[in-house]
Amino acid sequence: MLEIKFVRQNLPTVQKAVENRGGTADWEAFNRADAQRSAVLNEIEQLRHQRNVASEQIARLKKNGQAADAQMADMRSVGDRIKQLETELTAQEQILGDILLGIPNIPDPSVPVGRDEKDNPVIKTVGRPPEFDFQAKGHWDIGEQMGILDFARAARIAGARFPLYLGAGAHLERALINFMLDIHTNEHGYTEVLPPFIVNRQSMTHTGQLPKFEQDLFKLENWDYFLIPTAEVPVTNIHQGEILTEEQLPVYYTAYTPCFRSEAGSYGKDTRGLIRQHQFNKVELVKFVEPEHSYEELERLLQNAETILQRLGLPYRVVTLCTGDLGFSAAKTYDIEVWMPAQNMYREISSCSNFEAFQARRANIRFKRKGQKGTQLVHTLNGSGLAVGRTVAAVLENYQQADGSVVIPEALRPYMGGKEKIAP
RNA sequence: GGAGAGAUGGCCGAGUCGGCUGAAGGCGCUCGCCUGCUAAGCGAGUGUGCGGGGAAACCUGCACCGAGGGUUCGAAUCCCUCUCUCUCCGCCA
């Protein structure tokens, strides 16, 4: 959410930014409700002042045993008027709140203007795609032939877009989770957390999934609870409503969680394999930082995620999301895309974003500087470090052998009981 | 699920029969004084949001005592609903 004052004072900037993202908002309704709200609030405050003064007077009269019937009668009508205006105020604030919650974040000036993912500039490419002297297979074929992935049975248990890992497949998924968590905690200074996988409506609103994107979420029936689509939601909300101290910052958390997404509107896309699932595992990185450092923190967050791919020896590239492809809450996002041989293309495996104060304002996460009055909103960042299912897919495809086996990346072997390859 | 207790400022904790209580007292913290170090001591200050005034220090209005409603001229104090915490019982991974 943007600050109402900021929107009011920078309307052209905000309008331009929303337009660049391909969004819309009812600016006229905003102006109307904003003016109306101020007028009503002003009158309410005056009346309340009047009432406060009169109440004191009534208290004094009564203490002296004098009558105060006239004052009390006056105040009764003032009270009625206040109540009436308060209803009006609530209505206007509702309108404003709805509009403000629906306005996306303003992109950082360094974000390129563009329409969609085709306009995302590649900022670097690391590693070289492997060359095979045989026809490279998709990870779904590799996995099913070795009996470590079983999509048919998963479909019977739950439905399409659910995974079932077996044997070495399940072990590989678990190994990757531990591998990633160990690196982020031991080498990158993150604190491991294991949060709730179900959250309430407020938390979802704080990070920006709600109110706009409810159709992307799984909601529990008869409960106002949702399955998390990413650990970003519970982890960012760890500090909702808090005032942190300057010395506490920066705070780094890493969390493994399953993620649940309805994938509404993606029918027919990535129907095979582990790329697009209703349930997948992810190791997430979340940061709370001082505003003046958030962009250097974003660069380091990106590096932290890249480290995993480098250690696994997977080829990848990094793109900057253009304005049209940027997520609702983000001010700037880098996507890391891993090379997928069977599809002969790079696929997103991590998304690293700086939300600036957007989420912090919604979630009311502030900090106080030593010796300074007042508080300031923190900046929040997060990034996948990495999406585990897609990492499994990338390992299977990039390390596949002619005989149908898959070599385990060296760095991962300690996590696989020393095993060097997965064979049929 | 059943029975009971509770939710106040960074923390602890008081708030009488509703009326100068943004909230006593203590701790902590900040600044100053004093003591040749440390400790102790003394003095002052120390919540957040929105708005008005001032160059600024600061002054000023409104709101906030878990959340939301209600009663009342007036509520941290009374009533209702919800959430959370604690104790006991039941059930249970």
Side-chain angles (χ1 to χ4, degrees), chain A residues 198-237:
Chain A
I198 293 175
V199 300
N200 58 31
R201 181 172 291 275
Q202 276 198 323
S203 291
M204 283 289 186
T205 305
H206 292 158
T207 36
Q209 281 74 18
L210 292 178
K212 272 196 116 170
F213 308 102
E214 186 156 350
Q215 75 281 356
D216 296 334
L217 302 170
F218 282 115
K219 185 176 187 311
L220 300 202
E221 198 172 9
N222 301 326
W223 293 77
D224 210 16
Y225 286 159
F226 301 84
L227 300 184
I228 56 169
T230 158
E232 160 192 353
V233 179
V235 177
T236 303
N237 276 288

Side-chain angles (χ1 to χ4, degrees), chain A residues 46-110:
Chain A
Q46 279 177 26
L47 289 173
R48 286 210 273 232
H49 176 60
Q50 198 181 325
R51 186 178 65 182
N52 287 345
V53 172
S55 289
E56 260 174 54
Q57 193 189 2
I58 291 168
R60 240 179 294 121
L61 287 172
K62 288 207 156 186
K63 205 176 250 174
N64 298 335
Q66 291 171 279
D69 297 337
Q71 286 86 341
M72 281 164 62
D74 281 354
M75 284 309 108
R76 205 182 321 247
S77 67
V78 168
D80 289 344
R81 175 70 180 147
I82 289 175
K83 220 162 263 182
Q84 196 184 332
L85 288 168
E86 280 172 342
T87 308
E88 173 68 9
L89 182 69
T90 308
Q92 297 306 328
E93 286 184 335
Q94 180 74 42
I95 294 171
L96 281 173
D98 288 351
I99 296 173
L100 281 175
L101 284 174
I103 298 175
N105 204 352
I106 307 290
D108 182 67
S110 70

Side-chain angles (χ1 to χ4, degrees), chain A residues 59 300 348:
Chain A
R300 290 179 54 195
E348 176 187 341

